[in-house]
Amino acid sequence: MGVGSDVPLIGTVGRLTRQKGIDTFLATAARISEELPNARFVIAGDGELRDELQRMVRELGLEQRVSFLGYRQDMLNVIGGLDIMLYLSRWEPFANTLLEAMAVGTPVVATDVGGNAEAIVEGESGRLVPSESADAAANAAIDLIRNEDVRTKLQENGPRRAADFSIDNMIKGHESVYQRVVER
């Protein structure tokens, strides 16, 4: 995505709506930039808040650090090119995007809302932070950038955790429930 391998690339993916917490992502980016001045940030997706979010980038002085990629057909390539994915939704039933990131070995920091806590095992396959806490998200991301051992652990465990949610495993789980019901 046009940055060197020595430049931390942190991104998010999703519709540019209030639900997805892109404003929190930008506040997190500002906080990370204080600690990691060479970090760069990307936002893949589009939506109703694009103009407002671009204005926020200017107000935070992040014009040279944040890129809006818009809607992309190659989201897995985008996600796979990140050093860290921040997924800071305010609410989320279950985010396939988290599973996609874990499946390609991209470490994830996500809000502890909805199904995110089901998908991520804290500290094993990702990091969970409180909703709307830019400080907590920034601290988790900075820790992952600075701590290669922890980052590697998430890169290795993420694909295994994502596989737990495969279609085959879901079918087996449903069959098991049906079998128990039939046996009663």
Side-chain angles (χ1 to χ4, degrees):
M1 283 184 265
V3 299
S5 61
D6 61 330
V7 175
L9 184 61
I10 301 166
T12 193
V13 172
R15 295 179 325 277
L16 306 186
T17 63
R18 177 163 161 60
Q19 173 192 359
K20 297 300 182 181
I22 308 299
D23 56 333
T24 305
F25 173 84
L26 292 174
T28 301
R31 169 72 174 77
I32 292 169
S33 294
E34 295 170 5
E35 297 284 326
L36 303 171
N38 66 333
R40 297 296 178 262
F41 307 90
V42 295
I43 299 168
D46 214 342
E48 62 200 41
L49 296 181
R50 185 176 182 125
D51 291 342
E52 180 180 324
L53 294 168
Q54 287 176 324
R55 190 170 30 257
M56 187 176 176
V57 166
R58 288 188 299 276
E59 290 169 0
L60 292 170
L62 296 173
E63 301 94 341
Q64 303 304 311
R65 296 174 174 277
V66 175
S67 297
F68 285 83
L69 304 180
Y71 176 77
R72 298 283 297 254
Q73 292 284 340
D74 62 340
M75 283 298 184
L76 285 180
N77 288 333
V78 172
I79 293 168
L82 300 174
D83 292 303
I84 296 177
M85 186 175 86
L86 296 179
Y87 197 79
L88 304 178
S89 290
R90 288 183 166 88
W91 66 90
E92 194 70 53
F94 193 86
N96 286 328
T97 302
L98 292 179
L99 297 179
E100 292 167 347
M102 290 189 297
V104 298
T106 299
V108 174
V109 175
T111 47
D112 190 3
V113 299
N116 293 357
E118 183 180 347
I120 293 175
V121 176
E122 167 58 34
E124 293 294 319
S125 59
R127 297 290 308 275
L128 293 168
V129 297
S131 180
E132 300 190 58
S133 178
D135 283 341
N139 289 338
I142 291 166
D143 181 56
L144 288 176
I145 292 293
R146 289 184 172 160
N147 191 331
E148 186 176 349
D149 291 341
V150 175
R151 193 171 61 251
T152 299
K153 177 181 177 181
L154 299 186
Q155 290 169 325
E156 291 172 354
N157 291 338
R160 286 192 289 273
R161 180 63 180 162
D164 290 344
F165 294 91
S166 71
I167 295 292
D168 288 341
N169 282 343
M170 290 192 313
I171 290 170
K172 287 176 188 173
H174 282 82
E175 287 175 343
S176 173
V177 169
Y178 291 141
Q179 188 62 40
R180 287 194 308 268
V181 169
V182 167
E183 288 173 356
R184 287 187 192 161

